[in-house]
Amino acid sequence: MPTDPTPASAADRSVDLDSVIAELKARIEARRLAGEYPDDLEATLDEHFDRLVGVRPRSSPALHSELQGALQELNQVRFSRARIEPDSRLPGGRMVHRFMSRALSRQIDGVLNQVEQERRVIAHAIALLGDLSTTIGNEFDTKVLQQLDDLQVRLAEQSRDVNLLEYQVAETRERLPGAAVDAWYGQDHFTAFFRGGSDDLRSRYAELAKEFIGCDPVVVLCFGRGEFMELLTDLGVTVRGVEPDQQLVTSARGRGLDVEQGLAIEYLRTVEPGSLGGIVMIQVIEHLSPQHVIDFVALAAEKLRPGGKVVLETVNPASLYTYARAFWLDPDHVRPVHPNFLEFLFREAEFSKLAIEYRSPVADSERLVPLPGDDEQTKVLNENFERIGSLLFGDQDYAVIATR
Amino acid sequence: MTTTPPGVYRRDRRRGMSHVTSFRRGEFGIHQILAAASPGDAITNVALEYRDVLRRVGPSDVFARHIAPSSADEVRPLSEFGQDGSGGLLVYHASIGEPAVSAFLLSRPEPIVLVYHNITPAKYFDGIDDTFAELLVLGRLELESIRHRVTLAIADSKFNAEELHAIGYEDVRVIPPVVDPYRLVRMQPDRATLTHIDTTFNSPMLLFVGQVLPHKRPDLLVKAMHVAATYFGVEARLLLVGQNRFARYADAVSAQIRELNLANVHVVGPVEDARLAAMFRRAIAFVTASEHEGFCVPVLEAMAFDVPVIARACAAIPETVADGGLLLPSWAGAELIAEAIARVIDDSALRRDLVERGRARLREFTEMDASVSMLAAISEVV
């Protein structure tokens, strides 16, 4: 037990309470610095108590048990004339009350009996109400739970259906002609393997590039390894490239070309109308869906200024040889685009000038050899061979040069 | 144990009488009106003290709307008012909303003296007892509604006076409550309690006296005890003595003590005066973290027992404690309170100083003789 402080005299009152409080505050700081207790100690203790004192409505079992208690009390109430106090402040009042009580006993008892009957009815009614509320609660609980179960089952079924649909859509999308191929190999490797080195391509397109002299700015859609862009740059033409393959974009950017990653048609939609001098699509249109093919021509008409040019090159579907040797080599090809259809499109889009240049003739070594001889039969046979040859061995590519 | 210093508590009855010559016995009654009366309730105690003073000059009774059975001998039902010719002046102790009481006051022709003991802000009871919170809001509205009928407004602290000013009362007298801080000191302490403390408690005992209510912040004291015990290694007990008015809140405090594993903190509940006197006699310090008090009588009672006081400077507490105790800043949290507790337990020189300060503060308080001021103020309006 602590000892009581001895009575202090006025001289003992030497403690400066302000400095005591300052010391206490300093001690808290020192303890915190020394890590004697956590920084958030007070906040943690506050949260703890707040949780304990949080609003908690009384549970239905507690209410039910209170109701039972109240009913029990009500059932214990008994009405009796004996419970009516005959006390009175008036002299002789007690006797008067007793007399009255006896004189009116029949009436009083009658009233009390009626009250007692009423009490029973009321107690019974309250008990029924209690049971009713419990029953309603139970029924409600059962119904709500049943509905929740049903909802959960339906939700599970629906999410299963949605998963299946998602899977089917993905499958279908992959199987659709024109769906982009997500290749694990590099596009540059594919091009090198089937189309040859960059130098071959540069010499192949050198003449075509000259079409764009004075047509700045030119956009090359799906520039691949960028040979056409380099040709244009060499010619002093301002050129920008768009390519969906990130690796090709990075490589071109590394070589100082002005490029960005994107899809051809999407990109064209963002370009300011009448702002381009030239659009290049080399071996690209056969990768587009039919809808994008026709959209492309309309977009080119919109985005080119008057005098601006479109140069596109694609596989020639009029040469059956290309089906055997070229077109189906590329898994990303959607469908060949016929030169006559493109011609129709550009004319419909009101391009002022249109030239179609057939390119990449089939090597003679691949063609049918005419029969030697000069007789009538041989001549007829050779003419037929020629007809078959022109259908089979037409030029492998064609280029459209359209001027707005 | 120390006893009351002789001569410190002097209620100068003759001086009181000299100020109330305008009262003439038997002709004029001064009656007090309360919303509720119960033993141990601070406002009921103040009203009974007032009554004893007022009876020196004329008939005086205390009437209340709700009366606890054990107060029935001292307090009369409000419905009896006026039946026996009582009347004259009404002294209304405002503490909570009670439509029946304000309707009663507005229906009476007598002039009204308002004694404002403070109405606890409702925010402390939001979510704990919404009905009670509404009554507190109602109490403040009623203060406004009876304002035009109030002849004299008395507040028992400057803090309370400010609140009355804020709702439009112009002339408010600040008169400390007529309380006898030595009431418990003069009482024979309960021997069993003394023996229990002496034989069972093996560490210093701190005491808080007040209802277990949110604005009294018993939770903060519990937090401080946790900090002191867990991080400072302080071995001490804390007794929380007072009514548990809201079971849910008191349950939360008990759960807090249990979950923090504080075996040395006890929610004692209400106790008889003799037991309380015994606890005061054995306490090493009185500690309160209360946030809202209109006056805080237990602080003076602690001083009367030579028990050092630790409190936070909130609401009217700085006025009541004045220079008589260790007054921590109003923002003091569990850590600072814990430091103060540890320091007071360890530092006997500081304890001696606080005891001396408490005595000096009590001298000031008793020399003011609130009963004289109160009678003088009332004499002006009759």
PDB file of all heavy atoms in Angstrom, chain A residues 168-186:
ATOM      1  N   GLN A 168     -16.252 -20.370 -77.358  1.00  0.00           N
ATOM      2  CA  GLN A 168     -16.673 -20.601 -78.733  1.00  0.00           C
ATOM      3  C   GLN A 168     -16.370 -19.386 -79.607  1.00  0.00           C
ATOM      4  O   GLN A 168     -15.947 -19.524 -80.756  1.00  0.00           O
ATOM      5  CB  GLN A 168     -18.168 -20.934 -78.782  1.00  0.00           C
ATOM      6  CG  GLN A 168     -18.449 -22.347 -78.293  1.00  0.00           C
ATOM      7  CD  GLN A 168     -19.930 -22.631 -78.152  1.00  0.00           C
ATOM      8  OE1 GLN A 168     -20.737 -21.701 -78.122  1.00  0.00           O
ATOM      9  NE2 GLN A 168     -20.277 -23.896 -78.045  1.00  0.00           N
ATOM     10  N   VAL A 169     -16.619 -18.200 -79.055  1.00  0.00           N
ATOM     11  CA  VAL A 169     -16.350 -16.976 -79.823  1.00  0.00           C
ATOM     12  C   VAL A 169     -14.864 -16.901 -80.173  1.00  0.00           C
ATOM     13  O   VAL A 169     -14.489 -16.616 -81.318  1.00  0.00           O
ATOM     14  CB  VAL A 169     -16.789 -15.726 -79.022  1.00  0.00           C
ATOM     15  CG1 VAL A 169     -16.222 -14.461 -79.635  1.00  0.00           C
ATOM     16  CG2 VAL A 169     -18.304 -15.636 -78.977  1.00  0.00           C
ATOM     17  N   ALA A 170     -14.016 -17.205 -79.180  1.00  0.00           N
ATOM     18  CA  ALA A 170     -12.574 -17.147 -79.423  1.00  0.00           C
ATOM     19  C   ALA A 170     -12.175 -18.151 -80.503  1.00  0.00           C
ATOM     20  O   ALA A 170     -11.409 -17.840 -81.423  1.00  0.00           O
ATOM     21  CB  ALA A 170     -11.818 -17.424 -78.124  1.00  0.00           C
ATOM     22  N   GLU A 171     -12.758 -19.366 -80.379  1.00  0.00           N
ATOM     23  CA  GLU A 171     -12.474 -20.416 -81.374  1.00  0.00           C
ATOM     24  C   GLU A 171     -12.872 -19.959 -82.771  1.00  0.00           C
ATOM     25  O   GLU A 171     -12.115 -20.056 -83.722  1.00  0.00           O
ATOM     26  CB  GLU A 171     -13.296 -21.671 -81.023  1.00  0.00           C
ATOM     27  CG  GLU A 171     -12.692 -22.534 -79.963  1.00  0.00           C
ATOM     28  CD  GLU A 171     -11.776 -23.570 -80.582  1.00  0.00           C
ATOM     29  OE1 GLU A 171     -12.265 -24.611 -81.018  1.00  0.00           O
ATOM     30  OE2 GLU A 171     -10.548 -23.304 -80.645  1.00  0.00           O
ATOM     31  N   THR A 172     -14.131 -19.449 -82.836  1.00  0.00           N
ATOM     32  CA  THR A 172     -14.683 -19.041 -84.119  1.00  0.00           C
ATOM     33  C   THR A 172     -13.850 -17.922 -84.728  1.00  0.00           C
ATOM     34  O   THR A 172     -13.576 -17.924 -85.933  1.00  0.00           O
ATOM     35  CB  THR A 172     -16.143 -18.560 -83.933  1.00  0.00           C
ATOM     36  OG1 THR A 172     -16.819 -19.531 -83.159  1.00  0.00           O
ATOM     37  CG2 THR A 172     -16.842 -18.378 -85.255  1.00  0.00           C
ATOM     38  N   ARG A 173     -13.480 -16.992 -83.856  1.00  0.00           N
ATOM     39  CA  ARG A 173     -12.710 -15.856 -84.359  1.00  0.00           C
ATOM     40  C   ARG A 173     -11.403 -16.349 -84.977  1.00  0.00           C
ATOM     41  O   ARG A 173     -10.994 -15.887 -86.039  1.00  0.00           O
ATOM     42  CB  ARG A 173     -12.429 -14.889 -83.208  1.00  0.00           C
ATOM     43  CG  ARG A 173     -11.838 -13.585 -83.678  1.00  0.00           C
ATOM     44  CD  ARG A 173     -11.547 -12.676 -82.517  1.00  0.00           C
ATOM     45  NE  ARG A 173     -12.748 -12.100 -81.961  1.00  0.00           N
ATOM     46  CZ  ARG A 173     -12.899 -11.811 -80.667  1.00  0.00           C
ATOM     47  NH1 ARG A 173     -11.936 -12.097 -79.818  1.00  0.00           N
ATOM     48  NH2 ARG A 173     -13.998 -11.257 -80.238  1.00  0.00           N
ATOM     49  N   GLU A 174     -10.773 -17.330 -84.339  1.00  0.00           N
ATOM     50  CA  GLU A 174      -9.507 -17.843 -84.867  1.00  0.00           C
ATOM     51  C   GLU A 174      -9.704 -18.563 -86.205  1.00  0.00           C
ATOM     52  O   GLU A 174      -8.831 -18.556 -87.055  1.00  0.00           O
ATOM     53  CB  GLU A 174      -8.862 -18.792 -83.855  1.00  0.00           C
ATOM     54  CG  GLU A 174      -8.157 -18.029 -82.737  1.00  0.00           C
ATOM     55  CD  GLU A 174      -7.694 -18.948 -81.618  1.00  0.00           C
ATOM     56  OE1 GLU A 174      -7.555 -20.157 -81.880  1.00  0.00           O
ATOM     57  OE2 GLU A 174      -7.481 -18.437 -80.513  1.00  0.00           O
ATOM     58  N   ARG A 175     -10.902 -19.173 -86.315  1.00  0.00           N
ATOM     59  CA  ARG A 175     -11.131 -19.945 -87.534  1.00  0.00           C
ATOM     60  C   ARG A 175     -11.601 -19.073 -88.696  1.00  0.00           C
ATOM     61  O   ARG A 175     -11.597 -19.520 -89.825  1.00  0.00           O
ATOM     62  CB  ARG A 175     -12.195 -21.019 -87.274  1.00  0.00           C
ATOM     63  CG  ARG A 175     -11.648 -22.159 -86.444  1.00  0.00           C
ATOM     64  CD  ARG A 175     -12.750 -23.148 -86.180  1.00  0.00           C
ATOM     65  NE  ARG A 175     -12.309 -24.114 -85.187  1.00  0.00           N
ATOM     66  CZ  ARG A 175     -13.088 -25.042 -84.693  1.00  0.00           C
ATOM     67  NH1 ARG A 175     -14.345 -25.127 -85.097  1.00  0.00           N
ATOM     68  NH2 ARG A 175     -12.633 -25.883 -83.817  1.00  0.00           N
ATOM     69  N   LEU A 176     -12.075 -17.896 -88.396  1.00  0.00           N
ATOM     70  CA  LEU A 176     -12.601 -17.035 -89.458  1.00  0.00           C
ATOM     71  C   LEU A 176     -11.507 -16.662 -90.450  1.00  0.00           C
ATOM     72  O   LEU A 176     -10.406 -16.299 -90.040  1.00  0.00           O
ATOM     73  CB  LEU A 176     -13.122 -15.726 -88.842  1.00  0.00           C
ATOM     74  CG  LEU A 176     -14.596 -15.630 -88.478  1.00  0.00           C
ATOM     75  CD1 LEU A 176     -14.868 -14.238 -87.953  1.00  0.00           C
ATOM     76  CD2 LEU A 176     -15.467 -15.919 -89.686  1.00  0.00           C
ATOM     77  N   PRO A 177     -11.817 -16.741 -91.786  1.00  0.00           N
ATOM     78  CA  PRO A 177     -10.826 -16.263 -92.747  1.00  0.00           C
ATOM     79  C   PRO A 177     -10.588 -14.775 -92.500  1.00  0.00           C
ATOM     80  O   PRO A 177     -11.512 -14.027 -92.242  1.00  0.00           O
ATOM     81  CB  PRO A 177     -11.504 -16.473 -94.103  1.00  0.00           C
ATOM     82  CG  PRO A 177     -12.741 -17.234 -93.852  1.00  0.00           C
ATOM     83  CD  PRO A 177     -13.060 -17.165 -92.410  1.00  0.00           C
ATOM     84  N   GLY A 178      -9.368 -14.370 -92.543  1.00  0.00           N
ATOM     85  CA  GLY A 178      -9.077 -12.953 -92.318  1.00  0.00           C
ATOM     86  C   GLY A 178      -8.711 -12.662 -90.889  1.00  0.00           C
ATOM     87  O   GLY A 178      -8.285 -11.565 -90.576  1.00  0.00           O
ATOM     88  N   ALA A 179      -8.928 -13.668 -90.012  1.00  0.00           N
ATOM     89  CA  ALA A 179      -8.542 -13.419 -88.629  1.00  0.00           C
ATOM     90  C   ALA A 179      -7.022 -13.313 -88.566  1.00  0.00           C
ATOM     91  O   ALA A 179      -6.312 -14.083 -89.219  1.00  0.00           O
ATOM     92  CB  ALA A 179      -9.019 -14.568 -87.754  1.00  0.00           C
ATOM     93  N   ALA A 180      -6.557 -12.336 -87.822  1.00  0.00           N
ATOM     94  CA  ALA A 180      -5.108 -12.115 -87.757  1.00  0.00           C
ATOM     95  C   ALA A 180      -4.442 -13.346 -87.169  1.00  0.00           C
ATOM     96  O   ALA A 180      -4.953 -13.966 -86.244  1.00  0.00           O
ATOM     97  CB  ALA A 180      -4.814 -10.900 -86.911  1.00  0.00           C
ATOM     98  N   VAL A 181      -3.311 -13.699 -87.756  1.00  0.00           N
ATOM     99  CA  VAL A 181      -2.549 -14.837 -87.238  1.00  0.00           C
ATOM    100  C   VAL A 181      -1.605 -14.315 -86.169  1.00  0.00           C
ATOM    101  O   VAL A 181      -0.909 -13.323 -86.365  1.00  0.00           O
ATOM    102  CB  VAL A 181      -1.744 -15.493 -88.376  1.00  0.00           C
ATOM    103  CG1 VAL A 181      -0.779 -16.526 -87.821  1.00  0.00           C
ATOM    104  CG2 VAL A 181      -2.696 -16.138 -89.360  1.00  0.00           C
ATOM    105  N   ASP A 182      -1.678 -14.992 -85.035  1.00  0.00           N
ATOM    106  CA  ASP A 182      -0.771 -14.595 -83.964  1.00  0.00           C
ATOM    107  C   ASP A 182       0.455 -15.509 -84.065  1.00  0.00           C
ATOM    108  O   ASP A 182       0.510 -16.564 -83.452  1.00  0.00           O
ATOM    109  CB  ASP A 182      -1.493 -14.758 -82.624  1.00  0.00           C
ATOM    110  CG  ASP A 182      -0.674 -14.203 -81.487  1.00  0.00           C
ATOM    111  OD1 ASP A 182       0.326 -13.529 -81.763  1.00  0.00           O
ATOM    112  OD2 ASP A 182      -1.044 -14.455 -80.315  1.00  0.00           O
ATOM    113  N   ALA A 183       1.401 -15.100 -84.889  1.00  0.00           N
ATOM    114  CA  ALA A 183       2.521 -15.986 -85.208  1.00  0.00           C
ATOM    115  C   ALA A 183       3.601 -15.932 -84.127  1.00  0.00           C
ATOM    116  O   ALA A 183       3.906 -14.870 -83.618  1.00  0.00           O
ATOM    117  CB  ALA A 183       3.129 -15.589 -86.542  1.00  0.00           C
ATOM    118  N   TRP A 184       4.135 -17.091 -83.845  1.00  0.00           N
ATOM    119  CA  TRP A 184       5.215 -17.137 -82.855  1.00  0.00           C
ATOM    120  C   TRP A 184       6.560 -16.848 -83.513  1.00  0.00           C
ATOM    121  O   TRP A 184       7.537 -16.561 -82.853  1.00  0.00           O
ATOM    122  CB  TRP A 184       5.231 -18.479 -82.123  1.00  0.00           C
ATOM    123  CG  TRP A 184       5.116 -19.670 -83.045  1.00  0.00           C
ATOM    124  CD1 TRP A 184       3.985 -20.357 -83.342  1.00  0.00           C
ATOM    125  CD2 TRP A 184       6.176 -20.270 -83.793  1.00  0.00           C
ATOM    126  NE1 TRP A 184       4.243 -21.348 -84.226  1.00  0.00           N
ATOM    127  CE2 TRP A 184       5.585 -21.338 -84.528  1.00  0.00           C
ATOM    128  CE3 TRP A 184       7.551 -20.033 -83.923  1.00  0.00           C
ATOM    129  CZ2 TRP A 184       6.330 -22.137 -85.371  1.00  0.00           C
ATOM    130  CZ3 TRP A 184       8.282 -20.855 -84.767  1.00  0.00           C
ATOM    131  CH2 TRP A 184       7.675 -21.887 -85.490  1.00  0.00           C
ATOM    132  N   TYR A 185       6.591 -16.932 -84.885  1.00  0.00           N
ATOM    133  CA  TYR A 185       7.856 -16.661 -85.593  1.00  0.00           C
ATOM    134  C   TYR A 185       7.897 -15.183 -85.980  1.00  0.00           C
ATOM    135  O   TYR A 185       6.869 -14.514 -86.031  1.00  0.00           O
ATOM    136  CB  TYR A 185       7.964 -17.536 -86.840  1.00  0.00           C
ATOM    137  CG  TYR A 185       6.737 -17.483 -87.734  1.00  0.00           C
ATOM    138  CD1 TYR A 185       6.550 -16.435 -88.638  1.00  0.00           C
ATOM    139  CD2 TYR A 185       5.765 -18.465 -87.648  1.00  0.00           C
ATOM    140  CE1 TYR A 185       5.429 -16.378 -89.440  1.00  0.00           C
ATOM    141  CE2 TYR A 185       4.631 -18.414 -88.451  1.00  0.00           C
ATOM    142  CZ  TYR A 185       4.469 -17.364 -89.346  1.00  0.00           C
ATOM    143  OH  TYR A 185       3.347 -17.312 -90.119  1.00  0.00           O
ATOM    144  N   GLY A 186       9.078 -14.694 -86.274  1.00  0.00           N
ATOM    145  CA  GLY A 186       9.233 -13.294 -86.663  1.00  0.00           C
ATOM    146  C   GLY A 186       8.784 -13.077 -88.105  1.00  0.00           C
ATOM    147  O   GLY A 186       9.084 -13.893 -88.991  1.00  0.00           O
TER     148      GLY A 186
END
